[in-house]
Amino acid sequence: MPVLMELSRIIISEINENQVIYLKETDGNRQFPILIGIFEATSIHRRVRGETSPRPLTHDLIVSVIENLGAELQDVVISELRDHTYYAKLRVRHDGELIEIDARPSDAIAVAVTCRPTLPIYVNEEVLNDVLGEQND
């Protein structure tokens, strides 16, 4: 069963290659970090702060293409943790059909915060168990 999460923190470092976002359980205390690239971190940070760009950025383009094709972005699911790599699905509804699109979690979350209203972000319970188990080892 997927667990509703929210973006709770974005850490952008100019001296490190990897940036960090934290997802926190909406109705609980569990949280975990995901390492992401600078472009995705900056895009997420700008959207959370309500900043816009004069021209569409990649995540704006994704949202625009999906909407202009008559589909509706539904949510994001971080579906797997395999070999220390997270896997996500961007879920889109088109003509009543649910389409799951493979995505990096950072891109999926950037799309989620680009949408208005922001898309729900879910994490599979197994992923939470795996990551929280790894943190406690």
Side-chain angles (χ1 to χ4, degrees):
M1 182 86 176
V3 177
L4 183 61
M5 307 288 281
E6 59 190 35
L7 181 63
S8 66
R9 194 167 173 205
I10 305 165
I11 300 173
I12 298 177
S13 170
E14 294 178 7
I15 58 172
N16 292 320
E17 182 178 320
N18 288 321
Q19 313 307 307
V20 183
I21 56 173
Y22 281 85
L23 295 179
K24 180 186 176 306
E25 190 174 18
T26 303
D27 294 324
N29 295 321
R30 295 181 291 182
Q31 68 175 352
F32 67 98
I34 299 177
L35 298 178
I36 65 174
I38 188 67
F39 173 75
E40 294 79 10
T42 304
S43 181
I44 292 167
H45 189 251
R46 285 182 179 151
R47 290 300 175 209
V48 167
R49 290 184 18 194
E51 295 178 15
T52 58
S53 174
R55 298 290 300 140
L57 299 176
T58 304
H59 302 108
D60 301 310
L61 176 64
I62 292 168
V63 170
S64 180
V65 166
I66 290 170
E67 290 175 348
N68 279 288
L69 289 173
E72 178 184 348
L73 288 148
Q74 179 174 300
D75 55 29
V76 167
V77 177
I78 298 177
S79 55
E80 268 186 88
L81 174 60
R82 191 175 353 130
D83 299 323
H84 305 289
T85 300
Y86 292 97
Y87 292 80
K89 303 284 185 193
L90 185 59
R91 298 187 341 156
V92 176
R93 199 155 285 283
H94 186 259
D95 291 335
E97 180 184 351
L98 183 62
I99 302 165
E100 293 186 335
I101 302 166
D102 185 30
R104 298 182 306 174
S106 56
D107 288 324
I109 292 167
V111 167
V113 299
T114 297
C115 291
R116 291 293 173 249
T118 301
L119 297 180
I121 300 168
Y122 294 97
V123 176
N124 279 344
E125 187 73 46
E126 301 81 33
V127 172
L128 278 174
N129 292 337
D130 288 349
V131 72
L132 295 175
E134 284 182 8
Q135 287 179 355
N136 294 329
D137 288 346

